[in-house]
Amino acid sequence: MATRRCLLRLLTRSLVPHAPQPLAPASIAARTLTSLPRPLAPRAAAAASLRLSPPRCHFATRSSDDEGDDEEHYEDEEDGSGDEWGEDDGETPAAKPPSGKTEEEKLAEANEIGYKVVGPLGADEKPFKPYEPVFAVVQIGSHQFKVSNGDSIFTERLKFCDVNDKLVLNRVLMLGSQAQTIIGRPTLSDATVHAVVEEHALDAKVIIFKKKRRKNYRRTRGHRQELTKLRITNIEGIDKSFIQQEGTDKPESAAVAA
């Protein structure tokens, strides 16, 4: 009998709907506070953001040859010392920093190259003369030049001299004219060639390309040689009396012809 009564009570409770009971405001506040999410720790928040962020996919759109080119380009950037193509594209080279050498060391080094700096050209000076039929062979550094009065030559950049400086080229190997020829052994001690520095310039760019087959090795470099432009003003050390005689003979021959 007791079990039947328990079963009947359970059935009646489940079938009869219960009216909702109003909640107290304190219980509502407690439930809202408990339902709020708790702040996560910094490490837990970082881990959650990593789990929620979408995975990054990298798709290979190049072949193996292109990847090799990328590696070569990276190696080129490591080996290079600066801008390969645009660093020296200017018309004039950058100013040289001070060498920190004494005047005696500068003179000795310039003398070994084959020149001597006299000083800047004055505003009233007129070093350029008309052409004279006299030539000289001078050595500047490791190069030899055959020059005459009024010629311009390009040499490797000369140190310790600026634009409009007067130079004396003291390493003269040979002098020649219509009347005589003087050959040095190896140089002529009494002969000098005077010149003026016109500008410091850059030569045309030369491309240097290196490659090794099947080694994934390629190198491309550009080089512009620094040059100094000299204008020859005078050649001394040879007799020029025949030039004056030719100048005096010309009017007489012209008068006879007339």
Side-chain angles (χ1 to χ4, degrees), residues 172-189:
V172 182
L173 306 179
M174 182 179 176
L175 290 175
S177 65
Q178 298 177 357
Q180 61 178 341
T181 301
I182 306 174
I183 300 174
R185 300 183 180 179
T187 59
L188 298 171
S189 58

Side-chain angles (χ1 to χ4, degrees), residues 27-148:
S27 63
I28 294 173
R31 286 193 178 185
T32 53
L33 290 175
T34 54
S35 62
L36 290 176
R38 295 182 180 179
L40 298 176
R43 293 183 180 179
S49 63
L50 290 175
R51 286 197 298 270
L52 294 175
S53 60
R56 297 181 181 178
C57 301
H58 301 277
F59 299 97
T61 57
R62 294 185 180 181
S63 60
S64 59
D65 297 335
D66 295 338
E67 293 177 359
D69 294 341
D70 292 342
E71 293 178 359
E72 293 166 6
H73 181 66
Y74 181 74
E75 291 176 358
D76 290 346
E77 292 179 353
E78 285 186 349
D79 296 340
S81 59
D83 190 359
E84 178 180 325
W85 300 100
E87 180 182 358
D88 298 333
D89 286 342
E91 293 297 331
T92 57
K96 295 289 183 180
S99 59
K101 297 182 179 180
T102 61
E103 293 296 332
E104 296 179 356
E105 293 176 352
K106 292 180 180 179
L107 291 174
E109 189 172 350
N111 192 21
E112 290 179 1
I113 297 173
Y115 69 97
K116 178 183 177 181
V117 182
V118 177
L121 186 65
D124 300 335
E125 293 187 29
K126 297 181 179 179
F128 303 102
K129 299 179 182 179
Y131 173 74
E132 298 175 352
V134 177
F135 72 90
V137 178
V138 296
Q139 182 175 356
I140 304 174
S142 59
H143 301 278
Q144 298 178 4
F145 303 90
K146 180 184 176 182
V147 297
S148 297

Side-chain angles (χ1 to χ4, degrees), residues 6 10 14 24 35 37 45 52 55 81 95-96 104 107 168 189-190 194 217 232 236-238 241 248:
C6 293
L10 291 173
S14 60
S35 62
L52 294 175
S81 59
K96 295 289 183 180
E104 296 179 356
L107 291 174
V168 175
S189 58
D190 298 334
H194 297 266
Y217 178 87
I232 306 301
E236 296 179 355
I238 191 170
S241 60
T248 57

